[in-house]
Amino acid sequence: MAYIDFVNDFKKELCKDVLFLYGAEDYLIDWALYMVIARYVDDDSRNVDVQYIDGSTCSAADIMGAARAYSMFSDRRVIVVQNYLSLYHKRVDPNDDALLEICGNGLDSSVVVFTLDSKYSSDINAYARKLIKAASAYEFARLDKADLQGFINKRVHKAGKLLGHREMNHLIDLSGYYFKESDYSLAKLDRDLEKITGACEGDRITVELIEDLLVGEKDKYVFNLVDALMAGDKGKAMEVAETVIREEDGAMPVLALLTKQFEIMYDSLELSRRGMTVSEMAKHTGVNEFRFKKAFQSARSFNSDKLKEILINAYNIDRDIKTGNIDKDVAFELLIVGV
């Protein structure tokens, strides 16, 4: 893992004077940058000896000029170049080759840190690959499960709370951290853990607390609707529907999520016939495992033909809403009644 490589190199002072920090985890990029700044610049001098440069507007000459300047009070200056355009965009700066040369030869007075936000990590180009070779480069990818569990445990224990193995796995599943194309990051997880530990009244974090805080309101409506329909309780389902309708523009997003949930339910029945486990089915479809488990549990009260009928009805209702043939709130109620 890149963060382990960074820690080892940084402790042994093997990092070059120019670093390139990039990858899927902005949280780890920020953490590594903090480590560099903390080593070279005192707290009281950071407003002078730490310089942030906007890489979307600066030139290579601007970076080289800043790198040659000497520190006022600290051992060395730290120059932070954020999202340098030449690393991920088609742009030719006449001094980019010269910038690469100083990256390879070292600096006397400064440490230069190039950082690239995660949203650009898939766009790195040939110039970025040259910088990776010239500098000390670290790609901060998503954590594997063991490291993610360590990340969670450290924060839970710091807050004086306990998290069991079952609750840990449920938290990870529910977060969607490993969900394909998920934008759920360590930064979001850190904020959610702060909410969970802050709301936990006893010593032990429960599954119920995790679900209360991490499941969005619209998802809760969908799960409650499906549970009521699965139990054959149309009255309860209509109560939930009326609550959704009372929210401004609440029907449309919940209708979309409800349709998606029925699609997952249909897929779960089809895939289960192939002998797949829930985890295998979730991975095959790219659906959050928590959502898939909920869908599969509900689907067993229906059959494929019934779910197909529900989906056709949902698609027709969505079409009628978009063409203005029916009010969205009325359509939402009709879908519930027709299940």
Side-chain angles (χ1 to χ4, degrees), residues 125-314:
N125 54 26
Y127 185 76
R129 288 188 282 274
K130 290 180 182 179
L131 181 62
I132 288 171
K133 292 181 179 179
S136 288
Y138 303 92
E139 181 181 4
F140 294 97
R142 288 183 177 274
L143 298 182
D144 61 27
K145 192 164 186 179
D147 289 322
L148 184 63
Q149 289 173 336
F151 180 91
I152 293 169
N153 273 325
K154 182 177 180 180
R155 281 148 185 79
V156 169
H157 293 160
K158 184 178 179 180
K161 305 297 181 182
L162 298 173
L163 185 68
H165 181 72
R166 172 173 168 265
E167 289 75 15
M168 169 74 77
N169 287 332
H170 190 65
L171 171 59
I172 293 172
D173 288 345
L174 186 54
S175 74
Y177 183 79
Y178 293 116
F179 174 48
K180 185 168 58 178
E181 298 180 357
S182 171
D183 63 354
Y184 193 87
S185 63
L186 288 179
K188 291 181 180 179
L189 176 58
D190 190 55
R191 291 193 294 270
D192 282 340
L193 288 171
E194 187 174 351
K195 286 193 300 184
I196 289 168
T197 55
C200 181
E201 296 181 355
D203 294 332
R204 185 172 291 275
I205 296 170
T206 64
V207 165
E208 291 74 22
L209 177 62
I210 293 168
E211 289 187 3
D212 282 345
L213 294 179
L214 294 197
V215 177
E217 284 301 317
K218 290 182 174 59
D219 279 326
K220 287 179 182 177
Y221 287 140
V222 169
F223 296 149
N224 289 339
L225 274 170
V226 174
D227 287 345
L229 293 171
M230 182 179 65
D233 190 345
K234 290 286 182 70
K236 176 65 176 177
M238 288 304 297
E239 284 181 19
V240 177
E242 288 168 6
T243 302
V244 171
I245 289 169
R246 282 196 295 270
E247 291 194 356
E248 185 178 358
D249 294 326
M252 285 303 292
V254 173
L255 180 60
L257 285 171
L258 184 59
T259 302
K260 180 63 177 176
Q261 192 72 358
F262 280 121
E263 289 174 340
I264 299 169
M265 289 165 66
Y266 181 84
D267 289 341
S268 72
L269 291 182
E270 295 299 306
L271 293 173
S272 67
R273 293 192 182 99
R274 303 182 193 178
M276 289 187 180
T277 66
V278 171
S279 295
E280 288 170 340
M281 289 188 284
K283 186 175 181 180
H284 178 80
T285 57
V287 174
N288 180 297
E289 189 165 331
F290 171 77
R291 179 180 286 279
F292 201 95
K293 285 177 181 176
K294 294 285 288 186
F296 186 51
Q297 289 167 358
S298 301
R300 287 180 290 186
S301 295
F302 295 85
N303 58 57
S304 295
D305 289 339
K306 178 60 177 177
L307 288 171
K308 185 176 181 179
E309 177 187 323
I310 293 169
L311 283 171
I312 291 172
N313 190 28

Side-chain angles (χ1 to χ4, degrees), residues 13 31 36 48 71 120 145 148 150 160 168 170 200 282:
E13 299 189 0
W31 161 78
V36 174
V48 176
S71 165
Y120 303 122
K145 192 164 186 179
L148 184 63
M168 169 74 77
H170 190 65
C200 181

